[in-house]
Amino acid sequence: MKRLITILKLAFVVFLALPAGAALADAPKVIRIGFASVGVGNRPVVGGSSLSVVHGRGLLEEEFKRDNVKIEWSFFRGAGPAVNEAYANGLLDFALQGDLPSTIGRAGGLKTKVLAGTAIRQHTYLAVPADSPVTSLADLKGKKVAIFKGTNIQLAIAKILAGSGLTERDLRVINMDTATAKAALATKDIDAAFGGADLLSLRDQGIVKIVYSTKSQSPTFLRNAHLIVTEEFANKYPDATKRVVKVLVQAAHWVSENEKNPAAVYQLWSKSGVPFANYKEDHTGESLKVRSSPLFDEFLVARYKSAVADAKKFGLIRNTFDVDAWIDQRFLREALKELNLERYWPEFDAGGNLKRPGS
């Protein structure tokens, strides 16, 4: 009994010695977060996601201020592949990353967990020089086409081309990052480039024309991104992981609540250098609430299982893995419950049909 009392006294002394707000086993000194993207002109600001809102509004800094936890943000021009390299070198804890590069990383042995959606149902656009004779996907045969290899757009393009009876082998594919591809379009060193909504600004400048987009196309052609964490960090700091996810959910809720008047959202995202008007056009006719949902519902889980299967089919990975075990929804469920948002976002079945309307 005396020994037990001594142990309890020592534990109490250790507790009193901790700084205010510190946790016994859940207090990282720094949380390192990466974006698999950069803003226009390499600026360290990215738009188009709930994590962009977290960064732009300083929400994590505010959340962890009382704990004296430093938040470090990194932006990678090399996108998903560069994030995988950073993970392999132990330089990141969390990241916004697309489905394909994170799939490649996991299949290659990176120990990560997918936590929540951050930028789902993203569109892909095909741009060609303004005076190009190319008017459709079929016209790409034999043409020099820029594709950012290893990113989630590569997998989307593979499916888009397959839908038109094409493969990458029918094109003269050149691996280019986003900034390089846009410059090459302007100088007409390439015949076409696939990309995101940032290509719309080149069209507005009269440099290119958009000859294809996934707007109104099958949802299976759309790109998805998520918040991902290392298993090491999640296991060592479960409370901090939960708090990061909670802040992300709060940001997604803010975006969703601005659906009817999204000016504040697009204004914040436009700090990335992508014009306000381009974000507005990219989301026109679609639910901002749906696209900002953090949920891994049946539809999104099915898309990730398809991503793994398609990556194997197209020769982008050698081995598949258990997607259900990779997607860890514990922290998301706890955050949704704590914020009373368990039924806020709509859910879709594996086929993309509305299963449950949001509140």
Side-chain angles (χ1 to χ4, degrees), residues 40 123-129 146 153 157 177-186 190 192-213 223 273-275 278-279 281-282:
V40 176
H123 287 297
T124 297
Y125 297 84
L126 175 62
V128 300
I153 202 169
I157 292 167
D177 64 37
T178 302
T180 304
K182 290 163 71 173
L185 280 171
I190 57 175
F194 286 96
D198 53 325
L199 288 176
L200 299 176
S201 62
L202 293 185
R203 179 208 59 192
D204 295 342
Q205 297 171 53
I207 297 173
V208 305
K209 59 183 178 181
I210 304 298
V211 296
Y212 171 86
S213 82
R223 297 179 287 134
V274 177
N278 294 163
Y279 283 120
E281 180 179 345
D282 185 60

Side-chain angles (χ1 to χ4, degrees), residues 102-359:
S102 55
T103 291
I104 292 173
R106 180 72 177 192
L110 293 182
K111 295 183 178 180
T112 57
K113 289 288 187 179
V114 172
L115 298 174
T118 55
I120 66 173
R121 299 174 182 251
Q122 301 172 53
H123 287 297
T124 297
Y125 297 84
L126 175 62
V128 300
D131 59 355
S132 171
V134 173
T135 60
S136 68
L137 292 170
D139 295 333
L140 293 179
K141 284 188 176 181
K143 297 293 192 297
K144 291 188 293 184
V145 182
I147 296 177
F148 199 168
K149 292 293 190 75
T151 69
N152 68 349
I153 202 169
Q154 182 182 6
L155 189 57
I157 292 167
K159 291 184 286 187
I160 290 167
L161 291 175
S164 294
L166 301 171
T167 70
E168 284 190 19
R169 289 188 293 273
D170 294 310
L171 320 176
R172 295 169 60 192
V173 173
I174 302 174
N175 183 18
M176 287 185 173
D177 64 37
T178 302
T180 304
K182 290 163 71 173
L185 280 171
T187 58
K188 301 182 182 180
D189 288 323
I190 57 175
D191 299 307
F194 286 96
D198 53 325
L199 288 176
L200 299 176
S201 62
L202 293 185
R203 179 208 59 192
D204 295 342
Q205 297 171 53
I207 297 173
V208 305
K209 59 183 178 181
I210 304 298
V211 296
Y212 171 86
S213 82
T214 50
K215 300 274 283 186
S216 302
Q217 297 291 310
S218 167
T220 62
F221 290 170
L222 302 181
R223 297 179 287 134
N224 300 290
H226 52 266
L227 179 69
I228 193 168
V229 67
T230 64
E231 288 185 4
E232 180 182 3
F233 187 95
N235 291 336
K236 187 175 182 180
Y237 304 116
D239 183 65
T241 303
K242 175 188 171 183
R243 289 167 67 185
V244 170
V245 174
K246 177 183 174 182
V247 169
L248 182 79
V249 171
Q250 290 172 320
H253 181 251
W254 178 78
V255 174
S256 300
E257 287 291 277
N258 281 280
E259 180 172 46
K260 292 184 178 179
N261 185 22
V265 177
Y266 301 152
Q267 190 66 46
L268 180 63
W269 287 349
S270 67
K271 292 181 179 180
S272 66
V274 177
F276 179 108
N278 294 163
Y279 283 120
K280 181 178 180 181
E281 180 179 345
D282 185 60
H283 288 78
T284 295
E286 301 177 13
S287 170
L288 188 61
K289 184 175 182 179
V290 168
R291 288 186 61 175
S292 62
S293 172
L295 303 184
F296 258 87
D297 56 10
E298 292 177 10
F299 172 75
L300 200 56
V301 171
R303 299 312 332 132
Y304 274 66
K305 289 182 177 179
S306 176
V308 173
D310 289 340
K312 178 71 162 54
K313 180 176 71 174
F314 292 118
L316 303 176
I317 59 175
R318 292 183 178 180
N319 303 305
T320 59
F321 53 88
D322 186 348
V323 176
D324 289 319
W326 183 40
I327 301 172
D328 188 347
Q329 300 201 52
R330 293 174 300 156
F331 303 103
L332 177 60
R333 292 189 182 111
E334 289 179 23
L336 291 170
K337 184 176 182 179
E338 183 176 336
L339 296 169
N340 196 28
L341 293 173
E342 292 173 288
R343 300 184 64 82
Y344 176 76
W345 282 280
E347 293 188 24
F348 297 82
D349 64 20
N353 302 303
L354 184 63
K355 181 180 178 181
R356 177 184 64 75
S359 60

Side-chain angles (χ1 to χ4, degrees), residues 70-81:
K70 182 181 180 182
I71 308 298
E72 289 185 352
W73 299 91
S74 298
F75 298 81
F76 295 87
R77 178 171 175 169

